[in-house]
Amino acid sequence: MKDQILLEGDPFYIAERIKEIDENYFLVFNKKRGVFELHNSSQRSSTFALTIPYDTLDERAIFLARKTRRENIDKLIEEMDKENELRTKNLVKRAAEQIQEVIE
């Protein structure tokens, strides 16, 4: 953990609020990667859970921690499937438009 800084206190109490979601959660700043990470001490092989995809630690991290909890996996997969379907439709539509432009 020499490349990681354990975050226990912050101005917005994010670390404390994360613990309210799951007492096994903890936040670190990974100095090597320059990112915030969510960890779970109850995981067996590695405590790493996810990378917080934001430059600052704020309420979005709490929302992400709640959203990605194991009990929400079905809902999360459903959201991902819908988003992928929409992206695929948009790609197909764009490809059809480009083909139509070439034909005309």
Side-chain angles (χ1 to χ4, degrees):
M1 256 182 87
K2 65 179 180 175
D3 291 330
Q4 298 175 330
I5 300 170
L6 179 63
L7 303 174
E8 296 181 288
D10 59 88
F12 301 113
Y13 303 99
I14 303 300
E16 291 175 27
R17 292 162 66 191
I18 290 281
K19 283 233 178 254
E20 291 174 1
I21 297 169
D22 187 319
E23 64 184 20
N24 297 308
Y25 279 169
F26 62 96
L27 291 169
V28 299
F29 181 75
N30 185 317
K31 295 187 293 186
K32 190 173 186 178
R33 295 178 53 218
V35 295
F36 296 100
E37 297 175 346
L38 177 65
H39 288 252
N40 187 330
S41 61
S42 69
Q43 293 180 172
R44 295 176 197 207
S45 61
S46 169
T47 63
F48 178 80
L50 60 90
T51 298
I52 307 291
Y54 314 115
D55 293 337
T56 57
L57 194 59
D58 56 31
E59 194 162 350
R60 296 174 296 177
I62 297 167
F63 176 78
L64 185 61
R66 282 192 184 110
K67 181 178 180 179
T68 57
R69 287 187 49 82
R70 179 175 287 153
E71 59 265 13
N72 297 330
I73 192 70
D74 291 336
K75 184 177 178 183
L76 185 59
I77 290 172
E78 184 179 327
E79 285 178 25
M80 290 168 55
D81 286 344
K82 285 180 182 178
E83 186 175 317
N84 287 339
E85 185 178 330
L86 180 62
R87 286 181 184 197
T88 300
K89 284 181 183 180
N90 287 336
L91 286 172
V92 169
K93 180 180 176 184
R94 204 170 330 139
E97 289 169 354
Q98 289 175 346
I99 292 170
Q100 189 62 36
E101 287 176 12
V102 170
I103 293 173
E104 295 174 349

